[in-house]
Amino acid sequence: MSEADLPLWATIPATILLVAGGLLALIGSIGLLRLRSFYDRMHPPTMGTTLGTGCVLFASMIVSSALVGRPVIHELLITLFIVITAPVTAMLLMRAAAYRQRRRENPPA
Amino acid sequence: MEVLYSLAIGILAGSGVWLLLRPRTFQLLLGISLLSYATNLFIFGMGRLATYKPPIITTDNATDAALYADPVPQALVLTAIVIGFATTALFLVVLLALRGLSGTDHVDGREPGS
Amino acid sequence: MNAVFDYAAWFASLCFVLAMLCAVLRLFIGPAAQDRILALDTFYINGMLTLLMVGIRTSSTVYFDMALLIALFGFVSSIALAKFLLRGEVIEP
Amino acid sequence: MTLTLIVFLPFIGSLCAALLPARARNTAGWLAGTVALVCVALVWTHYQDVAGGGVVRASIPWLPQYGLELYFRMDGFGWLFALLVAFIGALVVLYARYYMSPEDPVPRFFAFLLAFMGAMLGIVLSGNLIQLVVFWELTSLTSFMLIGYWYHLEHARRGARMALIVTVFGGFCLLLGVLMLGEIVGSYDLDEVLTAGDLIRAHPWYASMLVLVILGALTKSAQFPFHFWLPHAMSAPTPVSAYLHSATMVKAGVFLLARMWPSLAGTELWFWLICTAGGLSLLIGAFSATFQRDTKGVLAYSTISHLGLITMLLGMNSELGLIAAIFHMMNHATFKASLFMAAGIVQHETGTRDMSRLSGLRYAMPVTTVVATVAAAAMAGVPLLNGFLSKEMFFSAAIVAGDLSGMRFTLPAVATLASVFSVAYSLRFIHQVFFGPPATDLPREPREPLRGMLLPSALLVLACLLVGIFPSRTLGPFLEVAGLSILGKAMPEYQLAVWHGFTPPLIMSFIALAGGIVFYRSLVRRGQTMVPTPLLSRVDARRVYDLINVGIVRGAGGLDRLLFSRRLQPQLLLVVCVALVAAWVALQGGGWSRGSVPLTPVDPLFALLWVAGASCAIGAALQAKFHRLAALIMLGGAGLVTCLTFAWFSAPDLALTQISVEVVTIVLILLGLRWLPQRIAFDDARRRTLRARARRSRDAIVAVAAGVGVAGLAFAALTRPAAQGLAAFFVENALAEGGGRNIVNVILVDFRGFDTFGEITVVSMVALTVYAMLRRFRPAPESMEVPRAQREDLARDRLMEGVNELLPPGYMKIPAVLVRLLLPMAALVSIYFLLRGHNAPGGGFVGGLVMATALITQYMVGGTLWVEAHIRIHPQVLVSFGLLAAAIAGMSAWFVSMQFLDAQAVDLHLPLIGDLHLSSVLLFDLGVYLSVVGATVLMLIALAHQSLRSARKVPEPAEQNLSAAVASEAVS
Amino acid sequence: MNSLMQHLPVMPIILPLLAGAAMLLLQESQRSARVTIALTSAFAQLTAAIALLYFTTDAAPQVWPEGIGVYSIGGWAAPFGIVLVVDRLSALMVALGTTVAVATLVYSIARWDRPGQPFHSVFQFLMMGVNGAFLTGDLFNLFVFFEILLAASYALLLRGVGTRRVRRGLHYIAVNLASTFLFLIGVALIYGVAGTLNMADLTGKVAELSPADRSLFDTGAAILGVAFLVKAGSWPLNFWLPRAYPIAIAPVSAAFGIMTKVGIYAVLRVGTLMGDDDVAAALLGWILFYIGMATLVAGTIGMLASLHLKRLVSHSIIVSSGLLLAALGLGIEALTAPVLFYLVVSVLTTGTFFMLTGMTDRARLPLFALREEVEPPPAPFYTAFGVAEIDPYGVDEEVGTALPAAMAFLGFIFVCCVMLVAGLPPLPGFVAKFALLSTALGFAEGNGAIWGLAAGILVSGFAAVFATTRIGMRLFWTTVGRRTPRLRILEALPVASLVLLTLGISAASGSVMTYFEAAADSLHDPQAYIRAVLSPQEGVEPGGRER
Amino acid sequence: MTLTVMWLVLNQSLAPGQLVLGAALGVLLAYGTSSLRPLQPSLRNVHLAPVLLLMVFLDIVRSNVSVARIVLGLVRDRDVRSGFLDIPLDMRDPHGLAVLATIVTSTPGTVWVDLASDSSRLTLHVLDLKDEEAWIRWIKGRYEKTLMRIFE
Ligand code: NA
Ligand code: NA
C-alpha cells in the first residue's frame, strides 16, 4: 500500500468520512432487518445509498486527489447515477408493495 | 484464504449439481447459472490467488510477472462467462418453449407417472 | 496516522460487509417478494461500497469502474424485479 | 487377364441391364445370354491350361498392406465349377426369357442374375481368401434381391430376408474364420494356405477357426441346423431356384469345404462336425421332402438332402469321398436344375404348385412328363443315370468311412435310409403331378410349354443320361482334373463305370429303390401323402428362427429402454457420476495431496462476504422449485459475491463482465418468467414417499460429492506453486508488442483474439437461434392472457394507445423521465468502456452489454411499442457488422502478408489534437461491441415481443365468440 | 495470390465466418443470394481442405517440413499465441468434414432450407466450428470451437416446432452444458498444473511434473476426457444422441455425423500428445476399451430396437463411436490406420444414410406396418407348405411390379448404405473392418480383448443387416399405400456423389490406406508435431511478432 | 455539453484529443438518443440550483440522524408512527417533479409512493409521521417553490 505519503490534511477528513459512511450503511441495513413493516423498511437503506455513499465517495476523492496531486472528481459520476436511479427503484417497489397489499386485502373473486 | 476460496467453489458447485439433478426446468436453469459461477471461479483460481495485483501495467517498465496476477485464466474466464451467458439464454428460451408446448415444467416434458 | 486511516478503511469495509449480511438475512426472511428486492438493492449498494473501499485501500483506480457500473446498473435488476411484481411482466407491449 | 474378364463381364452386363428400361425384355435377355455364353467360352479356353494340373493366375493389388488383393486363380476344380456356373447360367437365362411374364420388368431380374453369376464366378475363381469372402457376401446379397424379386408377395419378402440373415451370419463367421486362418498361415493367399495344412491343423486356433469356417459353409449350403431358409427361398422365381438354390449358390458351401479340404480336413473334429451336419441334413431333408405339398418344396428339401450327402462325403476324410462329392455336385446340379425347370413349367402352365390339385398332367404335357421323369429318376438314383453313379460312390465311401470311424453300421444305414426316402419323394413327385386322373380345377388349362422353355431342361436331362451311361467318356476327364487340382497328386482308386459287379453299394442301391417304392405305396395306401411332416412339423428350425427373430426385436426393445433412458435426470446423474469416478481414479496417484505453498491468512471480510454468498447459493438451490423469484434474487446475490471475489483477487475485467452479465441474465430470466406459469407449492404425496426421499438423498450425496470434489481439486491446485506459465511472456509483451496496458484485454483482443472471435460467434449464433425459436413460440396457455396485475392495476384499453405521448401516463411518468435522462449517459459510459479497454478494465464486451442494458431499460419504462415507434434497432444487422468488423480487422493483416489477426496500427499525428492511435485491435473490439449489443438486444427484445404478440392475439377468441354468436343467431 | 496460399490453414475457419455473417445482412426473400454465398463458401472450403490435404502428403514436401503446417494466429508463436496445426490427421478430418458439409448443403438447398430461419448462416458457423476444432492446436481454443459447433447444432436442431423436438433439444442442450462445465474444469486444471494450453507444449511440460502433480494433471485430463466422451457419444453418456439426431431435418442429421467424430478426434489428438506415461496410458486404454465396448454393445442393441430409419442410423453412429473407442483403447499403434479408415467411412456412411432418410421419409408407411415385425408371426406361418395352409400361390399374381426409377435409385442407395454400415463387401465399410480385424488378430494371442472387439465388430455388422433389412423392406418392398417420393436432382446428386466417393475409396483403398498409415505414424510420433509447433515459424519471431 | 463534461470527468483528462472526442461524442449521442427523449427540459433561474443542493444536503444529513435514532431504538417505538401522506401539488413539469422525486427519495424517512395522473397530488410514505403539516410545508415550501422557479 502506498498511503505512506498521504498527507495529514487528507487523512483526518477521510478517516472520519469513512467511519461515518460505514456506520451509516450498517445502520441502514440494520434498519432493513429490524423494522416491522415493509414500508418502514424502505427508509433506512437510503442512509447507505445517499449519505453513506456520499461519505465514501468524498473520502475517495480526497484520498485520490491527495495522491495524484490534482483534484480527482470522477466519483461525482457515481453519485449522479445513484441519485438518478434510486427514485426509480423506490417508486416501483413502493407501488408494487401497495398493489400487492391491496390484492391481499381484497382478493379477486 | 485458499481454503475459503475452495469452499466457496465447492458450495456453488454442490448447489449447482443439486439443482442440475432436479426435475424442473427452472431448477436446471438456476443450477446451470450456479455451476457457471463455480466453474468460472475454478478457472480463475488456477491462476492462484493474488490480492491487489490487477494485471494492468501502470508503469511502463514494470514487466515483472510477479507484480501481476496471472492474466491468462482471467482471459479464459471472460470467454467462459460470455459463452455461459449465451447458453443460459438459449436454455431459458427452450425451457419456455417446452413449457408452452407440453404444459408442464418437467424436464422430460411430461409429469412422472403420467 | 496512516495506520489510523487503514483501520478506518478496514472498519468501513467491515461495516459494508456486515450490511451485506444484514441484507442477505432480509433476503432470506422475506417475507414478501418486495422485501427481497429491497434487500437485493441494498446488497448491491453495499457491494459497490465494498468495491470502493478496496479501491481506496489499494489506492487503485481500477475499482472505480466497477463501482460506476454497479451505480449505473445495479438498479436495473431491481426495477426489473419490481416491475415484474407490479405488472406481471418486465417489458409491456 | 481373361480370368478377370470372366468375373467382371457379368458385373458389367448387370450394370447395363440395370440401366435398360423396364420393358426391354428381349434386349435384356439377349444381353444376359450373350454374357453367359461368352463366359462359358472364356472358361472353356482355359481347359488346356488346367488340364495338366496347371493353375492360371491373375492379380490386381487392392489393399496390399493387409494382404488383400484381387487374385483370380483357376485350377481344375475352379475351372469345373466356373464352367458349371456359366453353363447353367446360360440355360437359366434362356429358360427365364420364356418363363417370366411379358409384363414383368425383367431387366432388373437379369441385372441381379448376372450380378449373381459374377459373384459366383468370383467365389470359384478366388485365389485370396478375403476376396472369396467378398464374393461370398455378394452372392448372399444378390440372392436376397432375387428371392425378393416379387417383393409384393409377403412370403417372398420374408423368405428373402431369412435367407439373407442366415447367409450373412454365416458370411461373418466365415470372415472371422478366414481371418484367423490368414493369421495362422501368415497370408490369405490360397496357394500358401493350401500347402500349410499341417501347420493349420496343429495350431491352437484350429478348432475355433474350423467351427467358424464350417458355420459359413453350412449356412450357405442350407445344412442342418440352418437348412430352414432354403424352402422359404422358393418364393423366388423358378429360374432363380433352379440356378441359385439348386445348381450354384447353395453349392458354394460345399465348394468351400472341398476347396479347403487339403488344409482343414483330416481331423476327428472335421469328421464329426461335417458328417453330423451332413448326415442330419441328408435324413431330415429327404424325410421332409417326402411330405411336401408344394412341388418346389419337395425339390428344396431334396436339395437340402443332397447337399447333406455331399457334405457328408466331404466330412469322411477320405479322398474317395472327396471325388464322390465333386462328382455328385455336378450331377445334382444337372438333374436338380432340370427338375426345378420342370416344376416351373408346370406352375407356369397350370398356375399352381400345389400337388394336391395337380394330377395327370402327362396327357396335356407329355414331353415335360418325360423330361421330369428322367430327371426324377436320376434324383432317385436309378441305374443308367448320373445320380445312380454318384450314389454308388457315396455308398462305397460310407462303407469305407464307417469302417475307419468305428461306425461300421451307422453310416451305411443312414445312407441307405436317406436313399429310401429319396426314392419315395421322387416317385411321389412324378406320380402325383403327372400321373393319375387329369386334374379339373386348375387355374389354367395345362398345355405343353414353348420350346425355348423346355429346351434347357431337356438339355440337362440329356446330360444326366450321357453321364449316366458313359461316365468315363463324358465327365470322367473333368473330374480327374478337378480332383487332381485339390489333392495335388494322383487320384485315389475309383471306378467310374455303370457296372462293377455285385458290390455292397449295389445292394444298398437296390434296397433303397425297393424300400422307397414300398414306403411310398404304404403312404398312399394309408392316405398319408398330404399330411404335415410327421415328427418334424412340431420341432422346426424355422420356428426357432422366428422365435429368435422376435426375441431379438423384443429383447432389444426392452434393453434399449433400459440402456438409453428417455429421461434427462438419469443422464445428467450419470454424467456427473462418471466425471466423479474418472477424477477419483486419476487422483489415486496422489493428486489430491496438499501442495507446498503456504496458505495465505484468511481475511475475515472475505469470509463474511462468502457467508453471504454461500447462503445465497444454497438458498437459491432450495427455493428454485416453488419460489422462483426468491431463488432468482438469491442467484443475483451469489453472482454479486462472485463479482466481488473477482475484484478482490485482482481481476477487474472479470468483475465488470460478471456484473454486466449478471444484470442482463436477471432481466432475461424475468422476461422469461412471464411465460412460465407459477408453480403452487402443495403437499405432494409423491414427495414424501420412501422412493422420492431415497432419490433426493442420492442426489444430495452426489451433489455434496461433486462440491467436495471440485473444492478439493481447487485446493490442491491452489496450494501448488504456479507453473512457469505464459504469464511472464504476456506481461512483458502486452505493452511493448501488444500496445496495451490492460494485459487481460491485450490477451483477449490480440494474443488470444481467436478465442474472442469464436466467443462472439457463439453469442451471435445463440441470439439468432433464440430469435428464430421465439418467432414460432407458443407460450403456455395459462400465461397467454394479460397478467392479472395489469388487468387490476391500471389496465390499458388499446394497444397502440400512448405511442405518440411524450411520457407514459401514470406511475411510470417520473421513472421515464429519469431513465431516459440516463440513456445518453449510459451510452457514453459504454463507449468509454469500449475505447479504454485496451489500457484499463473494460473492452468491447462490457461496453456492448452496457449499451444493450441501457436500451433495455428504455423498453422497460416506455413499453415495446413506444420505443419502437421512436427508434428502429436492427440487431441482426449489428450482429452481422460486428462479426464482419472483427473478421476484417483480422484479415487486415493479410494485406501486409502477416498472419490472421496480426495487429495493425496506424499512428496519425494530427495538429492540435495530438497522436491518434488507430489500430486493427480497436476495430476488432468494435466488432465485439457491435455483435454483443446486437445479440443481447436481439435476445431480450425477441422475448419482450412475445407479450406484444400475445396481446395482439387476445382479441381473437372474442371475435370468434362473436362470429359464433352471430352464426347461432342466424340459425335460430 | 501467394499470400492467400500462405493463409490457407485459416481459410476453413474464416471463410464460413465471413459467409455466415454476410448472409445475416440479407433479407429473408433474398434466398438465391444466400444460396450462392453458402455454396461458394462451402466449395471454397472444400478446395482449401483438399489443398491442405495435398500439402500434408509426401507429394508436396516443399510446402511444409515433415508435412506439418503451423499457422500462428495474430503472429504470436506457440505456446503463447493460438496456433492452427495442419498435420495429416487434421487435414484429413477437415477434408472429411467439408466434404460431408458440401454434400449436405447442396442437399438442403432442394427444399430443407426453406423455413426462413438463418439456416445458411448457422450452417456456415457449424462448418467453422468443426473445422476449427480439427485445426486448432490449443486446448482452450478447442473448447471455443466446440462451443461454436454446439451452438450451431442447437440452432439447427431446434428448427421447426413440436413438443418432441423441443423436449429432446432441451435434453441435448442440458447434457452438453454439463459437459461444457467438465471441459472447462478439465482445461483449467491442466493449465493450473502445467501452465500451458498449447497441446504440443503440454507434452514437454507434463514430463517435468512430479508424481503428485502429474496425478492432479491426470485428473484434469480425465475430466476433460469425460467431456470428450460425451461429445463422442459413448455409453452411458449418450442417451441424448439417439433422441436428438433423428428429430433434426435430414441434412442436419447428416452434418451432425461428423460431430461425434470431433469427440473421437479430440480423444485421439490429446491422448497421443499426453500419453507418454505408460501406466496412465495403459489405464486410460483399458477404460477407453471398456467404454468403447459398452458403447458398441449398447449401440448394437439400440440398432436392433430401432423401428425408424433415422433412429437406426443414429445408433449406428453410436456403434461406430464405440468401435473406434474400443479399438483405440487397445493401444495398438498398428490399429490406428484402420481406425482412421473406419472413421472416414463411417462419417460418409451416416451422412449418406441420413440424407437418404430425408428422401424416403415421405414414402414411409403408416405405423401399422411395424407391428408385424414386433409381434410373433401368426400361427399359419409355421405350417407354410404344410397341409393346414391353403395354397399360397393361387392368390398372388406372379408378375413383378416395376420399381419407379426414383424408388430404384433410393433402393440402390439404401442397399449401399446397408452395406456400408454392416461392413459388407465390396464397399469400404468392409475394407475398414477387415483391416481392423486383420491387424487386431495379429495381437490376439492371449489377449481376450481382441476377441471381444472382433466379436463386437462382427455382431454389430450382423445386427446392422438384421435391423436395416427389417426397416428397408418396409420402405421399399411394400406396395400398399406407398407414395413414390419425387426425386429431386439436388437431393440425389450429393447422395450419389457420396456413394461414388465411398466406392472410389474402396477401389483405391491401397493408396488411401497409405495416407492413413502416414497419418497414424505421425500421430504416434508426436515429436514431429511438437517440433513443428514449437519451432520458430516463418514471419513469426519465437518470442513475439515481427514488427 | 453535459455529456462532454462527463466524458472529460470519466477520462480525467483535459487533453485536446479528449476534448475533441468528448465534444464529438456529446453531439453524436445527444442526437442519437434524442428520438427516445422527446421531452427536453427547459431550465430557468439556474442560479437557484446550488442553493437547492445545499438545502437538500442539509436535509439529508438531518434526516439521516433521525432515522438512525429510530433504527437504533433511541426513540421509543410507540412514538414512531409511520404512514402515508397526501400532498397537493402545483408543479406540473415532469422534470421538476423528477428532481423532487430524487430529493424525496434521497432523504431517508420519506419515500415517493404515487403521483396522481394529473400531477395534482403526491403521496408519500413517511417513517416518522408525527406532524403531517410540517411535512407538507417541508415539501411545498422548501422544494416545490424552488423547483417551479427553475423548471416552469
Ligand atoms: Na396330385
Ligand atoms: Na428516501
Side-chain angles (χ1 to χ4, degrees), chain D residues 355-359 432-433 530:
Chain D
M355 282 163 69
S356 63
R357 296 174 76 184
L358 292 166
S359 181
Q432 301 227 326
V433 174
M530 289 293 159

Side-chain angles (χ1 to χ4, degrees), chain D residues 574-591:
Chain D
L574 272 168
V575 171
V576 174
C577 289
V578 169
L580 281 175
V581 170
W584 174 256
V585 169
L587 280 173
Q588 295 312 302

Side-chain angles (χ1 to χ4, degrees), chain E residues 491-502:
Chain E
E491 289 176 345
L493 189 72
V495 171
S497 310
L498 284 189
V499 168
L500 281 180
L501 179 62
T502 58

Side-chain angles (χ1 to χ4, degrees), chain A residues 43 46, chain F residues 104-111:
Chain A
H43 298 276
T46 317
Chain F
V104 168
T105 313
S106 306
T107 317
T110 52
V111 191

